[in-house]
């Protein structure tokens, strides 16, 4: 937590004094807002993309390995396999395998394109995800889940269904954007919302308005009601 807070402060200063790209600088809303939101869109340190490294290489990799590690710790501590902990760890592992398969889609998402590398995003990936997203498996090391194989497997199957639906929804959205909306979803012409957002052009250093198509069919349509 201390490192995360200090690292966000380093990124705050870097964005003001030595930015890696044109989309940097103060928002004009004061220190607290700039520290929270960030002062640079794509900071680089020693040639490393900070957002990609912190989000994908550190945060998600730690989450993926933590579940398996806690399942092993539970076995060594209690001398037996805890079905609840083991299958929970495997379900999280498979979810993150899905994440890495679809990583390019995540890097094209609005939160990566628009959100700067400040406390909100960087501290969240350095501290919040490793601490909170792994809390249940970590707690189960000290306090066994109490689940047998039947109950744990039932929950595991529900979890796998959730991972599958998430992948299906992500795939629909990716195919929709690659086709620029010219496709069918579940046998019908895709419906969508045309949204606009502004971002700084790295070459001209000017703010430009861009369009983004938001899928309103398939799983995306059900989620958006």
């Amino acid at each position: 937590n201390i490192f995360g807070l200090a690292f966000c402060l380093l990124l705050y200063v870097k964005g003001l004094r030595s930015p890696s790209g044109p989309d940097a600088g103060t928002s004009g809303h004061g220190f607290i807002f700039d520290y929270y939101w960030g002062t640079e869109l794509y900071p680089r340190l020693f040639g490393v993309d900070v957002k990609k490294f912190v989000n994908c290489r550190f945060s998600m990799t730690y989450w993926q390995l933590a579940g398996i590690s806690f399942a092993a710790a539970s076995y060594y501590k209690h001398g037996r396999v805890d079905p609840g902990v083991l299958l929970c760890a495997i379900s999280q592992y498979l979810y993150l395998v899905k994440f890495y398969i679809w990583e390019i889609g995540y890097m094209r998402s609005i939160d990566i394109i628009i959100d700067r590398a400040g406390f909100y995003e960087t501290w969240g990936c350095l501290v919040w995800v490793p601490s909170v997203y792994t809390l249940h498996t970590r707690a189960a090391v000290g306090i066994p889940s109490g689940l047998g194989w039947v109950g744990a497997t039932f929950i595991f199957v529900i979890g796998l269904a959730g991972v599958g639906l998430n992948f299906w929804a992500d795939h629909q959205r990716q195919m929709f954007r690659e086709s620029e909306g010219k496709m069918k979803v579940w046998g019908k012409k895709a419906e969508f919302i045309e949204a606009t957002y502004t971002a700084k052009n790295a070459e001209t250093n000017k703010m430009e308005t861009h369009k983004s198509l938001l899928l309103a069919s398939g799983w995306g349509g059900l989620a958006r009601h």
Side-chain angles (χ1 to χ4, degrees), residues 14-34:
K14 180 187 178 302
L16 296 178
R17 301 291 181 86
S18 181
S20 303
D23 195 340
T26 180
S27 65
H29 298 296
F31 167 75
I32 294 178
F33 185 91
D34 284 346

Side-chain angles (χ1 to χ4, degrees), residues 57-156:
R57 299 297 171 259
F58 176 81
S59 182
M60 297 303 179
T61 302
Y62 179 92
W63 182 13
Q64 188 174 39
L65 297 177
I68 301 298
S69 298
F70 291 140
S74 173
Y75 173 78
Y76 287 121
K77 181 174 182 177
H78 303 288
R80 64 180 182 83
V81 174
D82 185 328
V85 177
L86 178 62
L87 293 181
C88 178
I90 293 175
S91 65
Q92 292 178 86
Y93 191 93
L94 294 176
Y95 169 77
L96 290 160
V97 167
K98 189 276 311 180
F99 169 84
Y100 283 115
I101 291 174
W102 192 73
E103 185 177 5
I104 185 62
Y106 174 71
M107 297 307 296
R108 291 173 179 171
S109 61
I110 290 296
D111 54 345
I112 291 296
I113 295 173
I114 297 298
D115 292 351
R116 288 183 168 187
F119 173 87
Y120 157 70
E121 181 167 313
T122 307
W123 182 88
C125 290
L126 286 173
V127 181
W128 182 263
V129 171
S131 299
V132 177
Y133 285 27
T134 64
L135 181 61
H136 49 306
T137 44
R138 186 167 72 250
V141 174
I143 306 174
S145 69
L147 293 171
W149 283 106
V150 174
T153 301
F154 178 75
I155 297 173
F156 177 70

Side-chain angles (χ1 to χ4, degrees), residues 102 165-176 183:
W102 192 73
L165 290 174
N166 180 259
F167 183 82
W168 190 356
D170 285 343
H171 180 70
Q172 284 183 343
R173 182 173 61 173
Q174 182 176 352
M175 298 301 295
F176 167 76
M183 63 172 289

